[in-house]
Amino acid sequence: METLRLENLSIGYAEHHKTIKTVMEGLNASLYSGQLTCLLGANGVGKSTLLKTLSAFQRPLSGQILLEGRSLSNYSTHQLSKLISIVLTGKPRVRNMTIAEMVGLGRSPYTGFWGRLSARDKKVVEESLDLIGITALKDRFIQTLSDGERQKMMIAKALAQQTPIIFLDEPTAFLDFPSKVELLLLLRRLAHEMDKTIFLSTHDFELVLQVADVLWLMDEKQGLSAGSPKKLSESGDLGRYVERKGIAFDRETMRVTVLKNE
């Protein structure tokens, strides 16, 4: 099911003296439940700006974003907190808080002013920890966690928020290779088994070709291209994105080769 749609969207931000900087325009694509969609693009192309716009942290310059058939601008912050959860790249700036306490913060859209967890809230937290496989770590303090454990904690927090859509900004950025694979496979499983719309930005090109259901490829010249890895490979979009002097891309095998003699 389509959960979010971009219609002729233009994104950007205000610079000094209120000058508007357009990052990219004419973007058209859709996100669907039950799919892991990965956003690829060179540094500076606008991936973070797009994520901020889709998350309602900043307004579109023009066009619109439809969330479950309604304009994103028509939702209140509280309504959005029950529809979209966000996992950012930065490490939490807190200490002496346990994993269970951090994951419990995901229940804030439902707990009211005082933030006290009901029996149901605690059950959701326990289920979220179990789904991510970190129940055994629930009493550990955040500052004692590895990068991979910390990312799992933040994903469990997003699950505890019980939103149909989860956005992640470069969730594999600080992870070693096995942890990157483990995390991406976990996100794919959550999308498929829980019918969630999971959308993340990443630079792990070769990994997402194997794991993603759909790719969004941002390019300064081509704009936004969306489709399965195979489709974007056959169209030449992936080759145009990755190929440089000394780097070759095979459309059939979707493999990158470094040409050592170049």
Side-chain angles (χ1 to χ4, degrees):
M1 182 181 74
E2 182 184 74
T3 53
L4 187 143
R5 185 194 312 165
L6 284 57
E7 291 188 345
N8 202 31
L9 182 70
S10 293
I11 59 174
Y13 50 87
E15 293 186 312
H16 300 298
H17 307 297
K18 298 183 179 180
T19 301
I20 300 298
K21 167 69 174 179
T22 300
V23 173
M24 196 163 284
E25 55 190 0
L27 306 181
N28 294 280
S30 295
L31 294 175
Y32 294 88
S33 59
Q35 291 185 346
L36 173 64
T37 302
C38 297
L39 174 65
L40 290 168
N43 287 331
V45 77
K47 298 190 302 298
S48 293
T49 303
L50 177 58
L51 269 171
K52 290 176 183 176
T53 307
L54 297 183
S55 306
F57 289 156
Q58 61 189 56
R59 293 185 177 184
L61 300 184
S62 63
Q64 65 176 339
I65 302 165
L66 297 177
L67 174 59
E68 296 187 345
R70 291 173 51 196
S71 175
L72 188 66
S73 62
N74 290 338
Y75 288 88
S76 67
T77 300
H78 183 66
Q79 288 173 324
L80 287 174
S81 71
K82 294 184 177 183
L83 292 170
I84 300 173
S85 53
I86 302 161
V87 179
L88 300 175
T89 307
K91 301 177 182 180
R93 297 180 181 179
V94 293
R95 298 175 65 84
N96 300 325
M97 176 182 282
T98 66
I99 287 182
E101 289 169 338
M102 174 59 80
V103 173
L105 294 179
R107 299 302 297 162
S108 58
Y110 311 94
T111 55
F113 178 77
W114 297 107
R116 293 173 180 167
L117 299 185
S118 66
R120 167 167 169 70
D121 293 322
K122 292 177 181 178
K123 186 173 186 294
V124 172
V125 169
E126 290 173 2
E127 290 172 347
S128 300
L129 290 166
D130 185 56
L131 279 168
I132 303 303
I134 56 172
T135 299
L137 306 178
K138 67 179 182 179
D139 296 322
R140 289 261 304 273
F141 287 117
I142 292 174
Q143 66 266 24
T144 70
L145 303 178
S146 68
D147 290 332
E149 291 168 340
R150 193 180 296 110
Q151 284 296 67
K152 288 181 179 180
M153 174 189 70
M154 298 309 293
I155 294 169
K157 176 176 175 286
L159 283 182
Q161 199 171 330
Q162 291 189 310
T163 59
I165 301 171
I166 301 176
F167 291 155
L168 304 100
D169 184 15
E170 297 193 31
T172 60
F174 303 114
L175 306 184
D176 57 35
F177 185 80
S179 297
K180 288 176 188 282
V181 175
E182 182 184 12
L183 187 64
L184 288 172
L185 289 175
L186 170 63
L187 292 171
R188 178 185 170 94
R189 177 172 63 83
L190 293 175
H192 291 184
E193 295 181 3
M194 301 185 71
D195 201 36
K196 289 187 179 290
T197 301
I198 299 185
F199 179 65
L200 64 90
S201 64
T202 182
H203 287 291
D204 292 314
F205 179 78
E206 291 182 274
L207 277 182
V208 298
L209 293 188
Q210 301 177 65
V211 176
D213 297 303
V214 176
L215 297 178
W216 283 16
L217 182 59
M218 293 184 74
D219 181 84
E220 288 183 357
K221 296 180 180 179
Q222 303 294 325
L224 178 63
S225 303
S228 68
K230 183 178 180 181
K231 177 183 175 182
L232 293 185
S233 179
E234 291 173 347
S235 68
D237 289 298
L238 288 178
R240 283 189 291 271
Y241 168 68
V242 75
E243 287 182 331
R244 303 287 189 277
K245 184 177 180 181
I247 303 174
F249 179 74
D250 189 303
R251 293 188 185 187
E252 292 187 6
T253 63
M254 291 193 291
R255 290 184 178 178
V256 177
T257 302
V258 177
L259 307 175
K260 297 179 181 178
N261 295 327
E262 290 292 320

